[in-house]
Amino acid sequence: MGAAALQFGAQLRLIATEWTAIEAAARAVDAGPWRSLWTGDHLVAVLGDERADCYEAWSVLAGLTRVTERVRLGVLVSPVTFRHPVVLAKMAATLDQMCGGRLEIGLGAGYHRREHAAYGLAYPPQGERSQMLEEACELTHRLLTAEEPVDYAGKHYRLERAVLAPRSLQRPRAPLVIAGGGERRTLRTVARYGEAMNVVASTPADLRRKIAVLERHCAEAGRDPGEIRKTILTFLHVTEDAEEEARLRERYAVFVRTPEAQAALPIGPAGRVVEALAAFQEAGAEEVIITDLPNDPEVYARVASEVIGQLAAS
């Protein structure tokens, strides 16, 4: 049996842009062959000038409920260091009602130290943030599914007869998309609470290993790994210009550090992009979420035609 059909999502650019451009790109995605539409949750620009405009992820997503009708919507992803999980669960339930049950709740441990320092937000060590993520996922699950008030006494969060109303429109709740490839703790959290895993694309071999680790955690948790959607976040650009391709690969080197991962990026002529994505599909990816495309409907149309269309036809 071959790999399942590959689906696509788009993470809109919220930095150094305008609302009208965000809206136009969202409409193009909603009208195209895309499954999902996402915003990125940052307080300052993570690439380029920190003084650039940087729109708030959940506010934008609320606006997108009014200009889209079909695609799934989500924030990819909200760091647990930005908002208390009760506040985020309340926001998520409200937004799921607004969009007619199309929300997916993206959560992660956070990674950008600088934006925490800029606004005086605590940035604990990685292990502690992973613990916070695990508790936040458990709390979100319980708050959105509980019929009775929730009591909770964790290391990082405490609740006393907490009620969340209204709950999400989706039942038993809006799905959780948990980001991060930490093999000891984060993927265990995915196995316990997530409907989808999301990892930054490294190489197909790395993705295959992460899925294998997830499957082991699922076995320990008594969970069917087939219930969990395997998604990757990647930079993708279609270009015939070798110099532009080199510039783009250099731009993303801060996120994709190894030569093998840089070579696996789907950047370049359309045929080579399709081949790169097919390799991730063969490794187990079910959805590719593309980030950092310009908010230009023509760019989205080109990707839909030259990349998504080719993979759908193969």
Side-chain angles (χ1 to χ4, degrees):
M1 181 180 292
L6 190 62
Q7 295 183 301
F8 286 82
Q11 187 188 61
L12 297 180
R13 186 180 290 180
L14 301 190
I15 295 170
T17 187
E18 299 177 351
W19 166 250
T20 53
I22 295 170
E23 184 180 39
R27 291 184 187 277
V29 171
D30 195 51
W34 308 79
R35 175 187 175 271
S36 59
L37 179 64
W38 307 83
T39 57
D41 198 356
H42 287 290
L43 304 178
V44 298
V46 296
L47 285 173
D49 189 349
E50 285 188 355
R51 295 169 296 181
D53 291 342
C54 181
Y55 286 78
E56 199 280 318
W58 283 89
S59 302
V60 169
L61 202 67
L64 297 182
T65 67
R66 305 296 88 185
V67 301
T68 62
E69 299 178 353
R70 180 190 60 80
V71 289
R72 304 287 296 175
L73 297 172
V75 175
L76 193 71
V77 288
S78 281
V80 292
T81 49
F82 281 7
R83 304 169 190 84
H84 193 285
V86 170
V87 174
L88 190 136
K90 187 75 172 179
M91 293 164 60
T94 300
L95 202 141
D96 197 47
Q97 294 278 344
M98 292 172 63
C99 70
R102 291 185 284 135
L103 180 70
E104 303 198 359
I105 306 171
L107 291 173
Y111 73 90
H112 192 55
R113 182 187 299 273
R114 167 59 193 154
E115 62 190 335
H116 291 78
Y119 294 104
L121 298 174
Y123 187 73
Q126 175 65 50
E128 187 173 343
R129 284 182 283 120
S130 295
Q131 293 172 355
M132 292 170 65
L133 175 62
E134 184 174 17
E135 288 192 13
C137 289
E138 181 181 2
L139 275 181
T140 301
H141 169 74
R142 291 184 59 185
L143 285 167
L144 290 174
T145 58
E147 300 289 346
E148 301 294 333
V150 174
D151 291 308
Y152 186 85
K155 181 176 180 180
H156 301 281
Y157 307 108
R158 299 183 66 87
L159 303 184
E160 183 178 339
R161 295 188 57 76
V163 176
L164 189 78
R167 286 156 57 185
S168 59
L169 186 62
Q170 298 173 81
R171 295 301 169 92
R173 58 164 171 74
L176 281 176
V177 180
I178 302 172
E183 297 182 4
R184 185 180 65 86
R185 189 146 203 161
T186 301
L187 292 179
R188 185 184 69 180
T189 300
V190 176
R192 291 179 173 180
Y193 303 109
E195 280 70 47
M197 64 176 281
N198 180 262
V199 295
V200 175
S202 177
T203 65
D206 183 62
L207 174 62
R208 191 175 287 110
R209 188 183 71 253
K210 300 291 187 188
I211 292 174
V213 172
L214 175 66
E215 289 172 346
R216 292 197 293 272
H217 285 305
C218 284
E220 294 171 359
R223 184 96 185 271
D224 178 2
E227 297 175 354
I228 299 172
R229 187 175 186 82
K230 288 78 177 178
T231 75
I232 63 172
L233 180 70
T234 188
F235 303 101
L236 181 152
H237 293 274
V238 178
T239 178
E240 305 291 336
D241 186 328
E243 291 186 359
E244 181 184 19
E245 178 182 343
R247 286 195 301 272
L248 288 166
R249 291 184 184 277
E250 182 178 358
R251 171 181 171 86
Y252 300 134
V254 65
F255 296 106
V256 184
R257 295 191 174 103
T258 69
E260 295 81 6
Q262 291 168 8
L265 279 174
I267 298 175
R272 185 139 42 88
V273 168
V274 169
E275 289 177 2
L277 294 178
F280 280 105
Q281 180 185 19
E282 186 64 29
E286 297 173 286
E287 182 172 8
V288 173
I289 300 169
I290 301 168
T291 186
D292 203 44
L293 287 176
N295 292 331
D296 182 342
E298 292 186 4
V299 172
Y300 280 98
R302 183 180 185 188
V303 172
S305 173
E306 298 184 16
V307 176
I308 300 177
Q310 295 304 311
L311 283 163
S314 61

